[in-house]
Amino acid sequence: MRGKLTPNAPLAPLLWFKTGGAAEWLFEPKDADDLAQFLAALDPSVPVMALGLGSNLIVRDGGVPGVVVRLGKAFAQVERTGDMILRCGAGASGILVSSTARDAGIGGLEFLRSIPGTVGGFVRMNGGAYGREVKDVLIDCDVVLRDGSRRTLALADLHYTYRHSELPEGAIVIAATFTGSPAEPAAIQAEMDRIAASREASQPLRSKTGGSTFKNPEGHKAWELVDQAGCRGLQIGGAQVSEKHTNFLINTGTATSADIEVLGEEVRARVKAQSGVALEWEIQRIGDNKPSPVELRSPAAQGRGLGEGNVTDG
């Protein structure tokens, strides 16, 4: 193991909401080989999840058991590998991908500029905005499976639907290949500027938020249903439904993750009562509901591999 392993690692500073408990263990791998070797040596009973930019995620106040894997700079590279093809590390942001595409004259990826996350996250969730989704531009993705083995999955293997994929259980996306179509860089930049201006005007980008909270139900827009149910500005504790865009929940400064999740459930209940539509969460919610001490045990003690000690770095 060449990466950094930290026990009882606070996750709130890494998340857009700035709330939530600690990871039992936080692992930041040096590279893909390091990640694969780490997972191969880790007891299969230890839960593992990946963390990108920390958007579209609620970490509950009791923290996250097992290992949270955070992909750093080694996974944030984007390069042109073909005429209209980009190879992107899972840690690369949507802004970096779309900007690299612009410089290469590759159109059709501008929408990625508006997705608040990394390649790994929006490949997993079939992220989309402004009329396009990842399924429209993805060729394939590379993953490390829970046992440390690697696979390349074609677009068809993911069985994409709206904000959902069928990635193997426990798989961590480490890279993806996207394709687009020829376009002038100036035209690409103009579309990116339009998207950025639209987001700035309509979304609470300068608040502590998690992005779109609920999926758009068939035939409806989630924000309209929330607004019609009278939830604009609704507040529980330090959590509030955004006045600017009602499909965003925000941390006004004192919220706990419990405040945010309870508010979301209250919104769901009011929308159901008003319209009969059951909203589905788009934001992923993980961890334990109630605060509890994180047991500082080494997963190695369960069987195989992390080694003893508090922090491993280098």
Side-chain angles (χ1 to χ4, degrees):
M1 185 175 62
R2 293 173 288 114
K4 182 179 180 181
L5 181 65
T6 307
N8 196 22
L11 293 179
L14 307 179
L15 307 175
W16 279 31
F17 272 125
K18 302 303 180 188
T19 64
E24 186 175 4
W25 294 91
L26 178 68
F27 180 53
E28 300 168 271
K30 207 78 169 178
D31 50 35
D33 288 340
D34 191 33
L35 175 61
Q37 291 163 8
F38 174 86
L39 292 178
L42 183 64
D43 188 312
S45 68
V46 177
V48 175
M49 66 154 285
L51 175 66
L53 290 183
S55 61
N56 213 236
L57 180 67
I58 294 172
V59 170
R60 294 179 174 127
D61 300 306
V64 181
V67 178
V68 173
V69 175
R70 190 177 189 223
L71 304 182
K73 291 182 179 178
F75 298 86
Q77 306 304 310
V78 178
E79 61 178 343
R80 182 175 181 172
T81 59
D83 188 27
M84 289 289 126
I85 296 175
L86 289 182
R87 180 73 171 165
C88 308
S93 68
I95 292 176
L96 177 59
V97 175
S98 58
S99 297
T100 305
R102 174 203 61 208
D103 295 344
I106 301 174
L109 303 179
E110 297 89 345
F111 76 100
L112 296 177
R113 192 240 176 271
S114 68
I115 300 179
T118 56
V119 167
F122 53 71
V123 166
R124 174 176 292 277
M125 290 190 65
N126 188 25
Y130 297 94
R132 305 211 80 193
E133 297 176 300
V134 166
K135 70 177 180 62
D136 299 321
V137 297
L138 183 75
I139 296 175
D140 57 34
C141 67
D142 291 345
V143 301
V144 178
L145 300 180
R146 178 59 184 81
D147 63 4
S149 62
R150 300 196 206 186
R151 287 178 61 188
T152 297
L153 302 175
L155 171 63
D157 296 328
L158 299 176
H159 302 286
Y160 274 138
T161 54
Y162 176 64
R163 302 297 179 265
H164 177 75
S165 72
E166 293 184 9
L167 275 171
E169 183 70 26
I172 295 177
V173 177
I174 57 171
T177 306
F178 298 118
T179 187
S181 55
E184 289 296 323
I188 295 172
Q189 183 62 56
E191 175 63 6
M192 290 170 61
D193 290 344
R194 183 191 72 82
I195 288 172
S198 175
R199 291 187 70 226
E200 181 70 34
S202 64
Q203 299 177 11
L205 301 182
R206 306 189 188 284
S207 300
K208 298 172 184 176
T209 184
S212 295
T213 305
F214 304 110
K215 299 178 182 179
N216 288 322
E218 187 70 32
H220 299 277
K221 293 181 179 179
W223 76 266
E224 289 183 340
L225 293 172
V226 175
D227 206 17
Q228 290 164 6
C231 296
R232 185 181 293 269
L234 180 65
Q235 188 163 348
I236 291 179
Q240 184 180 40
V241 176
S242 171
E243 297 270 6
K244 194 171 188 179
H245 192 309
T246 53
N247 198 26
F248 284 68
L249 304 183
I250 61 175
N251 172 8
T252 63
T254 60
T256 63
S257 290
D259 290 340
I260 297 167
E261 191 167 5
V262 169
L263 177 60
E265 290 298 334
E266 177 64 20
V267 169
R268 293 182 70 239
R270 294 192 185 196
V271 168
K272 178 69 172 177
Q274 197 275 333
S275 66
V277 177
L279 291 177
E280 293 183 25
W281 285 88
E282 182 172 324
I283 288 179
Q284 185 182 9
R285 296 158 294 147
I286 63 169
D288 297 330
N289 277 309
K290 295 181 180 179
S292 60
V294 177
E295 182 185 0
L296 296 183
R297 58 177 175 80
S298 167
Q302 297 184 0
R304 294 180 292 163
L306 295 184
E308 300 298 334
N310 289 331
V311 177
T312 301
D313 187 10

